[in-house]
Amino acid sequence: MFGVQYSVTPTTEHRTLNTEYGLMSTVLKQEKPSSLKGENTPVKPVGETYVWVTAMGLAIGLAMILFLLALILYNGIGVFWPRHVALIEFAEESDTRFHGGTRALGVVVLEQERDVRDLTPEQIASPHAVDRREKQLFMGNRDAFGQAFAFFGAGDIANITYPRHVIRAERMEWGDAIFFPLRIERGDGRTVSADDPEFEPLLRRLTDEAVARRKEINRIERFQIGRINLQMRDLELEDRFFQRIETLTEGDEQAWARVRERIEVLQAQYDPLAERAGALRERQRADTLVYEVVTGQERQMPIGELVGYYYPNQLSVIGKTRLFFAQIWHFLSGHPREANTEGGIFPAIFGTFVMTLIMSIAVMPFGVMAAIYLREYARQGPFVRSVRIAINNLAGVPSIVFGIFGLGFFVYFVGGSIDRMFYDNALPTPTFGTGGILWASLTLALMTVPVVIVATEEALAAVSRGVREGSLACGASKWQTIQHLVLPASAPGILTGLVLAMARGAGEVAPLMLVGVVALAPNLPIDGMFPFIHLERKFMHLGFHIYDLGFQSPDSEAAKPMVFATTLVLILVVVVLNLAAIMIRNHLKKKYAAGTF
Amino acid sequence: MTANRDTPTRAAAPNDVQQRRVAVSRSAAATLEGVNAQHIQVKDYSFFYGPTQVLFDLTMDFPERHVTALIGPSGCGKSTLLRNINRMNDLIDGISHQGDIQIDGSSIYDPYLEVISLRKRIGMVFQKSNPFPKSIYENIVYSLRVAGRNKKSELDETVETSLKAAALWDEVKDRLQESAFSLSGGQMQRLCIARAIANRPEILLMDEPCSALDPIATGKIEDLIHDLKKEYTIIIVTHNMQQAARVSDKTAFLYMGQLIEYDETEKIFMKPSEAQTEAYVSGRFG
């Protein structure tokens, strides 16, 4: 196919040209045989067919990645955009009913063709395509209806309106509620009707107060009482230690007395705090919002249960935008509620971040040192070659194997030994002898260390022999050469390895499930309580969060938007971590760029 | 003897330069009596890369504060000999040697001698200039820093004297903190020379220092070699016959790892005693 193209090379053409340019014409003749003169034989364009083949490979890859990103972006961001609430009335003649009524209230989240197996013969025969379609409605009020989503035949809908006074409220429990407000019943017996112009400002004020109170309760219970509990736990361990000793010396008696005294002091601090939290909780239940759901049923809830509310059908574009960003912020900064299906994912973001950082801190020196020995000091031979092959293969071991190794080695062996040595009093409750962020990070570090070793070795090998010899000729030792010249010059390459390792580590889930990740961690691995970094704590992770939401939650339909949003955040976290490493790398590259002549 | 040296015209008229240089060499050779003629002694030295012998029973002395050129066709072992003087070949696996090389009468292979302290006495300039990816300043003071000398005043002084000795000071004194890679090829090679002499070595080894440079830069480096020999024992490997004739006082011709002839440069180029030498210096082979 390609071989025939030059067979048409003319042999006489160059003589017809000006002889002064004889040399050039020869060149021309070889390059473009057909352009010289009126050749009648058509010449195929030179065969670069593989340009298309290779470009197609890239295009397919790019298209898949862009499609995936666009899908996640659309679904992940779309969750937070406030949408109108539709009041749907079913045609009298259709047999579609919702809890016996002809009305349904909710957000239309999906409209699609019905599965043909669900269609009746009449619907199949119907001339109207709309009869074969269905709408999915998010109705909220899981407490009242028992379900939050429902499908309705599009053809049965007689009328859709958007009533202005409908409220969509986010609650502490049972998910969102969508309703028509009736009145507020105050704790002192007064009542404010929804028709009253005072109603809206009052509801706003009471909600804000309730949110502030909830923060206060949280502060008291999580931090102040939490701190006391932490100290109390240590003291109780000491108490138990003394109880176990059969013959106490004088000094022991005094120490024990001091411990018990401090327990009492802490107890004295604890009681007023608990009392105050109880009073605040009581206050949360004082005011009640009475409302009517679409079936006509009257329901009520304490305003203390409200997280926030809005009138979805009264929002302007600016209002929607503001709400959009507020909801994104709540999602990113909040703690999860209701089996993770509501609220925010902050602990998971934080856990992923901290775990990846600890992993990087662990994997970097380890991998770099190994690579330096392998490349700079070890005598290159069959043994070093086989070690290198082994390392490369280690990178291909399934991650779950590392998880099992981490569980057996780090958690049970190392952690168990630490517990026996330093946390003897707490046993049989394990401290380090159970999964935790440290063991998870170390397991991932072990998993990604081959990546760092391989990248570092390549970077070290790329440092020119000339620079090394120049350094040695200056009287530098081998280590000085490595320290002053080789390592700085290979820093960009080493960081590339770290980027790869982080990208792999941050997105890994399977091994983590064995060594410390949990669906809901009560505390963050880093907080304001001494010693601030709690490496033994279990933690949340975005990847596991996605798995838990999408496949372990009771209502996976309700969790779907959260799955997309969490996926988006996970991708963003990985991108942010990588960008940081890439920026450091480029900075170093500029600094140590090897010049050419 | 340096009063009428004029770098640009020299580079432009190599023949003129050559004649003047030969004259210079002759006058320098006349003072050989005043110096240690056996600064570096190579004694029955043979060298092997694994089973392959590349140097055969070399015996020669390099005089103090003179320039000795090593010439010969590619693969004749002249670079190997040069790189053995500061034991740079130790980096290669599977090497071995017989005989000895001595500096001031003491062997470089003395087991009680640390190779680092040997290299501190010997500066080396490589074929391809190899500035470190650091600033000009840090390049020069590198040998001091690795020796643990970090006093600012000492470093500053070293930078100035070394750059002046390498005839680079005027060109770079205002940009010492810039990257060494911002220099031109000739400047980089002079920077490498400045770096090699920063630690005040006794000996300067040059492995084809001008092979990658243009005639103007080459001229500058040759002038520099001429100045440096007042203080340093210089051994230079070169492929350029004219350069050998211009810069060196003594010339050794190596062929297939053997020392064919070693004598005053003038004699090697004017009336060599060996037929092979004559064939090589007149360009008939090699």
Side-chain angles (χ1 to χ4, degrees):
Chain A
M1 174 179 182
F2 304 112
V4 292
Q5 273 141 38
Y6 292 104
S7 64
V8 293
T9 305
T11 50
T12 54
E13 297 311 318
H14 67 285
R15 260 180 272 142
T16 65
L17 288 171
N18 191 337
T19 48
E20 217 179 297
Y21 299 107
L23 186 68
M24 196 207 256
S25 72
T26 313
V27 173
L28 277 175
K29 184 193 70 156
Q30 285 169 351
E31 282 182 0
K32 299 190 204 170
S34 64
S35 70
L36 280 178
K37 233 189 138 218
E39 271 287 323
N40 287 331
T41 323
V43 177
K44 265 195 211 163
V46 177
E48 287 291 351
T49 319
Y50 285 102
V51 171
W52 293 99
V53 175
T54 50
M56 217 157 68
L58 178 69
I60 292 172
L62 270 183
M64 288 195 296
I65 290 168
L66 287 179
F67 175 73
L68 180 69
L69 283 181
L71 183 80
I72 292 168
L73 202 68
Y74 175 77
N75 284 296
I77 288 279
V79 181
F80 303 108
W81 186 254
R83 286 193 275 188
H84 290 291
V85 169
L87 179 62
I88 294 174
E89 288 169 57
F90 304 114
E92 288 292 337
E93 63 274 18
S94 77
D95 54 0
T96 303
R97 291 290 179 271
F98 179 66
H99 284 262
T102 58
R103 301 196 307 167
L105 184 68
V107 180
V108 179
V109 288
L110 190 72
E111 190 179 343
Q112 63 184 19
E113 287 281 342
R114 252 189 188 166
D115 192 309
V116 74
R117 284 164 296 188
D118 296 341
L119 292 174
T120 60
E122 297 82 52
Q123 282 169 330
I124 293 173
S126 165
H128 305 291
V130 73
D131 286 340
R132 289 184 292 274
R133 296 184 71 78
E134 61 182 355
K135 284 180 197 276
Q136 190 188 19
L137 209 60
F138 171 72
M139 302 175 300
N141 300 327
R142 218 164 63 227
D143 48 339
F145 304 149
Q147 70 198 83
F149 288 86
F151 280 99
F152 298 107
D156 300 338
I157 295 170
N159 190 23
I160 297 182
T161 52
Y162 297 93
R164 284 180 61 77
H165 60 293
V166 93
I167 285 183
R168 180 169 178 178
E170 194 184 342
R171 301 176 291 181
M172 287 301 287
E173 283 168 8
W174 296 107
D176 281 11
I178 297 173
F179 55 79
F180 303 108
L182 292 178
R183 61 186 178 275
I184 296 172
E185 288 173 0
R186 302 295 306 270
D188 52 13
R190 282 183 296 151
T191 303
V192 180
S193 160
D195 306 328
D196 198 318
E198 268 180 48
F199 175 82
E200 214 286 303
L202 180 68
L203 183 59
R204 171 67 51 204
R205 186 167 63 81
L206 290 177
T207 311
D208 290 348
E209 280 173 13
V211 169
R213 262 198 304 276
R214 192 174 311 118
K215 263 189 194 151
E216 174 71 11
I217 294 171
N218 190 39
R219 202 174 60 79
I220 292 172
E221 292 186 340
R222 195 181 279 268
F223 294 105
Q224 297 180 336
I225 296 184
R227 197 185 303 262
I228 290 172
N229 279 343
L230 210 68
Q231 293 174 0
M232 194 74 107
R233 196 188 65 193
D234 290 348
L235 288 172
E236 275 167 0
L237 286 178
E238 283 182 49
D239 188 44
R240 230 164 76 190
F241 170 74
F242 286 119
Q243 278 172 19
R244 270 190 223 161
I245 301 175
E246 286 179 10
T247 50
L248 288 163
T249 65
E250 189 78 4
D252 286 345
E253 289 280 8
Q254 283 170 5
W256 195 4
R258 273 201 300 279
V259 166
R260 275 179 301 193
E261 196 177 317
R262 282 183 60 200
I263 289 178
E264 271 163 38
V265 170
L266 281 178
Q267 191 65 44
Q269 286 174 359
Y270 170 84
D271 290 338
L273 284 173
E275 208 169 295
R276 184 164 152 63
L280 283 170
R281 280 193 184 286
E282 195 58 38
R283 183 75 190 79
Q284 288 289 68
R285 315 203 65 83
D287 303 311
T288 312
L289 176 66
V290 182
Y291 59 91
E292 183 191 341
V293 293
V294 71
T295 52
Q297 188 190 355
E298 194 175 301
R299 298 183 69 86
Q300 54 182 14
M301 66 172 157
I303 290 181
E305 281 286 298
L306 274 177
V307 176
Y309 73 94
Y310 61 98
Y311 290 92
N313 295 344
Q314 292 181 21
L315 285 173
S316 62
V317 173
I318 297 168
K320 278 183 179 175
T321 311
R322 199 182 296 156
L323 200 64
F324 173 69
F325 285 111
Q327 291 197 15
I328 289 181
W329 173 245
H330 280 300
F331 179 66
L332 294 179
S333 66
H335 286 255
R337 301 193 315 268
E338 298 196 59
N340 294 350
T341 55
E342 300 286 334
I345 54 165
F346 178 72
I349 299 176
F350 192 76
T352 309
F353 227 84
V354 172
M355 184 208 71
T356 311
L357 278 183
I358 297 177
M359 181 201 82
S360 310
I361 291 167
V363 79
M364 268 295 270
F366 195 44
V368 170
M369 284 190 300
I372 286 176
Y373 184 80
L374 214 54
R375 172 62 58 180
E376 303 285 329
Y377 287 109
R379 185 182 289 272
Q380 304 298 319
F383 180 69
V384 166
R385 264 205 303 282
S386 50
V387 167
R388 201 167 280 139
I389 291 170
I391 288 171
N392 280 324
N393 283 332
L394 210 58
V397 171
S399 55
I400 190 73
V401 175
F402 284 99
I404 295 164
F405 176 80
L407 181 70
F409 179 73
F410 289 126
V411 176
Y412 291 153
F413 178 68
V414 182
S417 307
I418 291 176
D419 273 359
R420 275 191 298 282
M421 279 187 279
F422 302 107
Y423 297 92
D424 198 21
N425 292 332
L427 286 175
T429 315
T431 309
F432 277 98
T434 178
I437 193 161
L438 178 66
W439 303 140
S441 304
L442 290 184
T443 305
L444 285 192
L446 203 66
M447 192 187 80
T448 51
V449 83
V451 180
V452 175
I453 292 180
V454 169
T456 306
E457 263 213 273
E458 272 166 24
L460 293 176
V463 176
S464 76
R465 195 188 163 90
V467 167
R468 291 161 195 270
E469 287 186 344
S471 169
L472 293 173
C474 281
S477 67
K478 188 145 193 171
W479 174 246
Q480 281 172 326
T481 304
I482 292 171
Q483 184 193 353
H484 293 296
L485 293 170
V486 177
L487 271 185
S490 50
I494 295 171
L495 278 168
T496 307
L498 184 66
V499 168
L500 292 173
M502 283 193 339
R504 185 163 177 216
E508 196 61 66
V509 180
L512 299 182
M513 292 159 77
L514 300 177
V515 290
V517 125
V518 285
L520 187 64
N523 291 306
L524 295 176
I526 297 177
D527 61 19
M529 273 174 249
F530 185 81
F532 308 117
I533 300 173
H534 308 275
L535 292 176
E536 81 286 359
R537 281 190 184 164
K538 292 188 185 295
F539 67 108
M540 291 173 70
H541 183 274
L542 284 168
F544 185 69
H545 200 74
I546 292 168
Y547 169 74
D548 183 59
L549 276 178
F551 301 98
Q552 302 290 301
S553 70
D555 188 355
S556 63
E557 192 67 44
K560 205 168 78 180
M562 292 282 282
V563 171
F564 277 113
T566 311
T567 308
L568 185 63
V569 171
L570 176 58
I571 291 174
L572 287 180
V573 166
V574 173
V575 167
V576 164
L577 285 169
N578 282 358
L579 272 185
I582 287 169
M583 265 155 63
I584 299 171
R585 183 182 69 186
N586 287 351
H587 174 77
L588 289 173
K589 239 184 204 162
K590 231 178 271 168
K591 204 168 159 190
Y592 297 112
T596 45
F597 296 108
Chain B
M1 64 184 170
T2 56
N4 61 347
R5 279 177 39 240
D6 180 9
T7 313
T9 56
R10 165 151 313 159
N15 286 333
D16 185 32
V17 175
Q18 187 180 353
Q19 277 164 12
R20 257 188 287 170
R21 280 294 168 75
V22 170
V24 164
S25 298
R26 193 178 299 129
S27 65
T31 62
L32 191 58
E33 293 82 44
V35 300
N36 177 7
Q38 297 182 323
H39 189 198
I40 305 169
Q41 290 172 286
V42 179
K43 291 181 172 172
D44 296 327
Y45 190 73
S46 299
F47 186 77
F48 307 82
Y49 288 124
T52 319
Q53 185 167 11
V54 286
L55 295 177
F56 296 84
D57 289 323
L58 302 186
T59 299
M60 59 198 297
D61 298 336
F62 296 96
E64 189 186 7
R65 280 183 272 139
H66 280 68
V67 179
T68 308
L70 301 178
I71 60 171
S74 294
C76 72
K78 53 196 188 307
S79 281
T80 304
L81 175 62
L82 190 80
R83 291 166 58 88
N84 273 334
I85 293 174
N86 67 348
R87 290 179 58 183
M88 198 52 98
N89 279 339
D90 285 13
L91 301 178
I92 301 163
D93 286 337
I95 53 156
S96 54
H97 70 94
Q98 285 164 8
D100 200 9
I101 298 177
Q102 293 178 348
I103 296 175
D104 284 332
S106 54
S107 168
I108 63 166
Y109 292 108
D110 186 342
Y112 293 100
L113 175 83
E114 217 184 342
V115 70
I116 290 170
S117 60
L118 171 76
R119 288 186 189 140
K120 279 178 182 156
R121 296 169 62 191
I122 304 175
M124 186 162 189
V125 179
F126 295 84
Q127 179 172 4
K128 192 164 175 262
S129 65
N130 54 353
F132 302 146
K134 291 168 176 280
S135 67
I136 295 169
Y137 185 96
E138 285 300 321
N139 260 279
I140 308 258
V141 301
Y142 184 78
S143 54
L144 276 70
R145 286 208 195 276
V146 296
R149 283 148 62 189
N150 284 313
K151 222 170 89 192
K152 180 92 170 64
S153 58
E154 190 191 355
L155 299 184
D156 287 347
E157 196 192 315
T158 305
V159 168
E160 186 169 346
T161 51
S162 307
L163 283 174
K164 274 181 176 161
L168 195 58
W169 175 251
D170 291 331
E171 291 162 62
V172 301
K173 65 181 173 196
D174 298 324
R175 47 180 184 137
L176 292 175
Q177 296 309 326
E178 276 180 37
S179 165
F181 293 127
S182 64
L183 299 174
S184 72
Q187 286 174 327
M188 279 197 210
Q189 193 61 300
R190 276 182 284 153
L191 178 71
C192 291
I193 294 175
R195 187 178 69 195
I197 60 176
N199 204 17
R200 307 246 127 224
E202 302 154 33
I203 299 160
L204 198 54
L205 307 176
M206 298 180 135
D207 192 356
E208 299 184 48
C210 303
S211 66
L213 301 181
D214 67 11
I216 294 175
T218 302
K220 285 186 180 172
I221 304 266
E222 288 176 6
D223 285 347
L224 185 56
I225 293 170
H226 188 76
D227 287 346
L228 289 173
K229 79 169 181 188
K230 279 177 256 167
E231 291 185 57
Y232 305 99
T233 303
I234 298 175
I235 305 176
I236 179 169
V237 165
T238 179
H239 270 294
N240 183 331
M241 290 305 110
Q242 291 173 336
Q243 184 174 58
R246 282 196 298 266
V247 300
S248 67
D249 304 308
K250 296 187 78 173
T251 299
F253 173 57
L254 277 77
Y255 182 60
M256 307 272 282
Q258 317 250 18
L259 181 62
I260 305 298
E261 191 169 356
Y262 179 39
D263 214 326
E264 303 295 325
T265 298
E266 196 186 345
K267 188 152 176 290
I268 294 280
F269 282 93
M270 296 301 179
K271 35 183 193 314
S273 28
E274 300 291 328
Q276 274 177 319
T277 313
E278 189 179 1
Y280 184 72
V281 298
S282 59
R284 280 204 295 276
F285 91 99

